[in-house]
Amino acid sequence: MDEDRVEGMRREARKTVERYLPEAGYQRWQDALEEVVVVNLPDDRDEKSAPSIAAKKLTCEATTQGCRIEIELDRIHPAIAESLELVVAGRKLSTFFVSSSTQISTRRFGNKVVLTFDVDYAGFSESPDETFDVFLRRAHDMWTAKRRIKAPRRFRAVQAGDREWYSTKHGNLSVRPHS
């Protein structure tokens, strides 16, 4: 090879080596981190919980593997209704499970949507003596975005298998072992 070509290859080799030196890597990381935009997310420890979602009608019916919950909601967009899942979370222990297989139907009068969830009682097996609170949330929302389900005033406790679905003193839906 001629001398000019060898010299050009040497210069390119030095440039390549300089890109991989620790100082160069550090500078690339520093540049990248300076470009990051910080987003202030709410601190869920300081925030009050989201308001409950008021059910117009609520039914609980025993099934072979658990319970079928029907929640009638007023004025909810069908696209939002389709994205909802039922979250059943233990009060004392960090046990929870999610029922995301929603069936949706609409009522002609009053713009009402009925969400139907099948709750498999196998979800209670890790905490059989625990009381669980019941929530709705959109599937891709943060955990803290879940909202309690406020039972209608006329809702009375329902025994479905070995569980009792009831309205708490605040009017929210919960489930406990049937005694």
Side-chain angles (χ1 to χ4, degrees), residues 38-83:
V38 177
V39 176
N40 291 323
L41 295 176
D43 185 353
D44 63 341
R45 294 171 293 174
D46 295 336
E47 300 246 342
K48 291 182 178 179
S49 60
S52 298
I53 297 173
K56 296 298 177 189
K57 187 176 178 185
L58 182 63
T59 60
C60 304
E61 179 182 307
T63 63
T64 56
Q65 295 184 341
C67 184
R68 175 165 289 140
I69 308 292
E70 286 188 356
I71 306 165
E72 184 176 299
L73 302 175
D74 200 10
R75 297 188 190 116
I76 185 170
H77 193 277
I80 292 174
E82 289 175 4
S83 70

Side-chain angles (χ1 to χ4, degrees), residues 52-53 58 69 71 85-91 117 119 124 131-137 146-150 165-166 168 172-176:
S52 298
I53 297 173
L58 182 63
I69 308 292
I71 306 165
E85 58 188 17
L86 189 79
V87 177
V88 183
R91 282 191 186 162
F117 297 94
V119 178
F124 296 113
T131 296
F132 288 76
D133 293 323
V134 184
F135 303 85
L136 286 175
R137 79 175 188 121
K146 65 189 184 305
R147 295 173 61 184
R148 294 297 307 267
I149 300 167
K150 189 165 203 72
W165 297 80
Y166 70 100
T168 66
N172 296 317
L173 182 63
S174 290
V175 58
R176 62 185 166 208

Side-chain angles (χ1 to χ4, degrees), residues 8-21:
M9 292 173 66
R10 283 188 186 127
R11 277 194 305 271
E12 291 302 315
R14 282 188 204 113
K15 287 181 186 177
T16 302
V17 168
E18 287 174 5
R19 283 191 343 199
Y20 293 101
L21 289 174

Side-chain angles (χ1 to χ4, degrees), residues 19-36:
R19 283 191 343 199
Y20 293 101
L21 289 174
E23 298 82 18
Y26 172 78
Q27 187 60 51
R28 284 194 303 275
W29 271 109
Q30 186 176 7
D31 293 345
L33 292 174
E34 286 172 359
E35 291 176 15
V36 171

Side-chain angles (χ1 to χ4, degrees), residues 82-149:
E82 289 175 4
S83 70
L84 293 175
E85 58 188 17
L86 189 79
V87 177
V88 183
R91 282 191 186 162
K92 296 178 185 169
L93 303 173
S94 60
T95 303
F96 73 93
F97 58 96
V98 176
S99 176
S100 56
S101 56
T102 316
Q103 297 172 20
I104 299 171
S105 59
T106 56
R107 302 267 196 253
R108 286 186 187 182
F109 302 107
N111 198 20
K112 293 180 170 64
V113 173
V114 179
L115 307 173
T116 304
F117 297 94
D118 287 327
V119 178
D120 188 346
Y121 280 2
F124 296 113
S125 64
E126 290 185 30
S127 306
D129 299 325
E130 176 80 16
T131 296
F132 288 76
D133 293 323
V134 184
F135 303 85
L136 286 175
R137 79 175 188 121
R138 290 187 294 190
H140 300 291
D141 280 354
M142 292 175 47
W143 178 254
T144 55
K146 65 189 184 305
R147 295 173 61 184
R148 294 297 307 267
I149 300 167

